[in-house]
Amino acid sequence: MKLKKIFSKAALLWSSVSAGIFLIGYNIGTGSITTMAAAGAEYGMTLTWALLLSCLFTYCLIIAFSRYTMVTGRTVLDSFRRSFGAPVTLFILASMLVAELTSSMGLMGVATEVVAEWSRPLTADGEGFDRLAIALVFALLLGWCSLRGRQAFFEKILSLFVFLMGISFLATFFVVTPSPAAILGGLKPSISDHGNAFMIVSGMVGTTMGAILFIVRSILVRDKGWTIGDMRIQRRDALVSVGLMFVLSFAIMACAAGAMPGEKIENAIQMVRLIEPLAGDIATSLFVAGIVAAALSSLFPILLLAPWLLADYRGRRCDMRSRETRLLIFAGLLCSLAVPLFGGRPVSVMILSQTMAVIATPLILLFMTILLNRRSLMGSHRPALWQNLLYALVTLFTAAMAVLGIAGIGRLF
C-alpha cells in the first residue's frame, strides 16, 4: 500500500513537470552542446555570465507566456495573427522554421560524426561506421516515434533521452572540470575581442532563450489544460526546466574548458578526439552518448514543430495523424539528412542556426508584452510595473544579442 502511494505521488510529480522536461529535451540539443563547448574551449568559463543571465530571463519569459495562455486560452501565433495581422506573423513563423530546419541539419550531422569517430576501433578499416547509414537509422527511429501521434508517448521518449543526456554530461563533468576560481571568474560580464566571441555569445543566448521555446511552451500549456489556478504547478515546472537547462549547459561548457583549453571547435570529431586523451575511453563514451541523446532529444520535437506551428497559426490543435502532418515530418527528416548526404561543417551550421534563432526574439517579446497589457485579454492578470520593466530589459537584452549575432555572421562572410 505504501509502495502504491509512492508511485502515485511520483506519477503526480511527473505530470506536473513533464512540460518542462519536454522543453529541456528540445532546448538542450547538439546546438547547445556545440555552442557551449565552443565557448568553454575557446574562452574558458569567461562567458558563464551570459548563460546564467539567459537562464534567469528564460524563467521569467516562460512564466509570462504561460500566464497569457492560462488566462486567455490562446496560443502565441494565433494571438499574433489576430492582433497584428497575417504578414508579420508569417514572417515570425518562417524565421522560426528556417532556423529549426537549419538546426536539424546540424543536429544530425553532429550525431553521425561523433558515432562514426567513436566506432573507429570497432571496424576493420578503422574508418568507423558509415555516416549515412547511421543517419538513416536515426531517421527511421525518429520517424517511427514521431508518427506514434500521442503527446504522452512523446513525453516518455523525451524523458528517456533527457535522462541519458543528463547522466552522461554530469558524469563527464566530474572527470574533467576547471578550477573553482575560473568558474567564479566567469560570472563577471566580459566579451573577448579575439575570435568570433560575438557570435558565440549570441548563439548561447539563442540556444537558451530563442523565441521558439516560448511559442512551444504556450502550446504545451494549452494542451495540458492548465488554467490560472494551476500557476503554482506551472512555476514549479518552469523552475525544473530552467534549472536543469543551466546545470547541463554549464557542465558541457566546463567539460570543454577543462579538456580542450584554447582550442577552436570546428567539428564534432574534434570534441571527441580532444577529450579522449585526458578523460579516457569510458568518459569519452559517456560524452558521445550524451551528444547522441541530446541530438535525438532535440531532433524529435523539431520534427513536430512545423505541424505544431502551422496549427497554432490557424488557431487549432494539431492532428498528429493527418496526411499534412506526416508529410511535414517526412520533409523534416529529409532536411536532417543534408549534412550526412552532402557534407559540411555541422558545428558551424549549428552555431549559425542558434544565432538565427535569436534574431526574431525581440519582435516576439515586444508583441507579447503588448498583449499581456491588454485589459480586454488579461483583465486583472495584467503585469505590474516592475514586470513590464523586466520585459523591456529582456527585450533590449535580446535585441543587443541579435545585433551581436548579425555582426558575428558578418565576420564569417
Side-chain angles (χ1 to χ4, degrees):
M1 195 71 175
K2 217 178 232 186
L3 193 61
K4 187 177 179 182
K5 194 173 181 181
I6 291 172
F7 277 119
S8 177
K9 284 186 177 179
L12 184 63
L13 178 62
W14 159 251
S15 177
S16 70
V17 300
S18 57
I21 296 294
F22 196 97
L23 291 187
I24 297 167
Y26 166 75
N27 210 28
I28 306 294
T30 53
S32 292
I33 294 169
T34 51
T35 304
M36 299 302 167
E42 196 166 352
Y43 304 105
M45 302 304 294
T46 61
L47 299 179
T48 304
W49 63 271
L51 173 62
L52 179 61
L53 203 56
S54 297
C55 287
L56 290 173
F57 286 162
T58 297
Y59 175 78
C60 296
L61 293 175
I62 286 176
I63 297 296
F65 278 72
S66 298
R67 186 171 71 245
Y68 174 80
T69 299
M70 292 163 78
V71 171
T72 66
R74 296 180 184 176
T75 49
V76 175
L77 293 180
D78 177 36
S79 297
F80 286 1
R81 178 179 56 81
R82 295 182 188 210
S83 298
F84 306 109
V88 70
T89 309
L90 286 172
F91 166 75
I92 291 171
L93 173 61
S95 67
M96 295 294 98
L97 288 178
V98 168
E100 295 313 311
L101 286 176
T102 306
S103 179
S104 73
M105 298 176 195
L107 284 164
M108 188 67 84
V110 170
T112 54
E113 271 196 354
V114 296
V115 172
E117 177 65 21
W118 172 82
S119 64
R120 279 179 180 271
L122 305 178
T123 55
D125 59 4
E127 293 297 318
F129 301 147
D130 181 75
R131 294 182 187 182
L132 183 56
I134 297 168
L136 288 172
V137 169
F138 287 155
L140 288 172
L141 173 64
L142 290 166
W144 178 80
C145 292
S146 300
L147 295 175
R148 297 291 291 176
R150 295 184 183 278
Q151 185 163 319
F153 178 77
F154 299 158
E155 290 174 351
K156 288 176 184 176
I157 292 294
L158 274 175
S159 66
L160 174 63
F161 289 152
V162 169
F163 175 77
L164 291 173
M165 172 176 59
I167 291 295
S168 299
F169 287 132
L170 290 176
T172 311
F173 168 75
F174 286 110
V175 175
V176 184
T177 183
S179 68
I183 293 172
L184 291 175
L187 297 175
K188 181 181 178 182
S190 63
I191 299 181
S192 173
D193 57 359
H194 77 273
N196 207 358
F198 286 172
M199 199 165 89
I200 293 288
V201 171
S202 180
M204 290 172 68
V205 174
T207 192
T208 307
M209 56 182 299
I212 189 66
L213 181 72
F214 311 117
I215 294 174
V216 169
R217 176 67 176 194
S218 173
I219 296 171
L220 291 173
V221 166
R222 182 203 59 191
D223 290 350
K224 281 283 184 184
W226 284 347
T227 65
I228 197 65
D230 299 305
M231 182 57 79
R232 181 181 173 188
I233 295 174
Q234 194 271 137
R235 284 200 181 102
R236 180 173 60 194
D237 176 84
L239 188 61
V240 168
S241 178
V242 173
L244 287 176
M245 283 179 199
F246 175 79
V247 169
L248 292 177
S249 298
F250 177 82
I252 296 162
M253 188 191 299
C255 286
M260 320 167 197
E263 295 287 341
K264 185 175 177 61
I265 303 298
E266 294 183 342
N267 56 64
I269 293 175
Q270 189 182 3
M271 287 192 281
V272 177
R273 288 177 179 169
L274 286 170
I275 202 171
E276 186 171 16
L278 181 61
D281 292 339
I282 294 176
T284 303
S285 296
L286 283 171
F287 192 70
V288 169
I291 290 175
V292 172
L296 297 180
S297 74
S298 285
L299 271 168
F300 184 42
I302 282 176
L303 293 175
L304 308 178
L305 276 180
W308 271 4
L309 294 182
L310 286 171
D312 183 9
Y313 174 79
R314 294 165 180 163
R316 51 189 190 218
R317 291 177 183 265
C318 180
D319 179 4
M320 295 305 300
R321 296 182 182 274
S322 71
R323 180 180 295 179
E324 178 186 84
T325 295
R326 296 187 177 206
L327 286 173
L328 287 170
I329 289 173
F330 181 70
L333 284 171
L334 287 180
C335 285
S336 72
L337 295 174
V339 171
L341 268 174
F342 303 111
R345 292 182 176 179
V347 169
S348 298
V349 172
M350 288 307 309
I351 295 175
L352 179 61
S353 72
Q354 301 306 323
T355 303
M356 288 170 63
V358 81
I359 290 175
T361 301
L363 180 62
I364 293 171
L365 298 187
L366 176 62
F367 282 176
M368 181 49 65
T369 302
I370 293 170
L371 294 179
L372 284 168
N373 281 278
R374 284 192 178 170
R375 186 185 297 273
S376 60
L377 289 172
M378 299 297 293
S380 61
H381 297 289
R382 288 178 299 159
L385 176 61
W386 70 268
Q387 289 172 313
N388 279 319
L389 291 174
L390 177 61
Y391 300 153
L393 176 63
V394 176
T395 303
L396 289 173
F397 175 72
T398 54
M401 292 300 104
V403 170
L404 286 180
I406 292 168
I409 293 172
R411 288 188 181 185
L412 280 182
F413 297 102

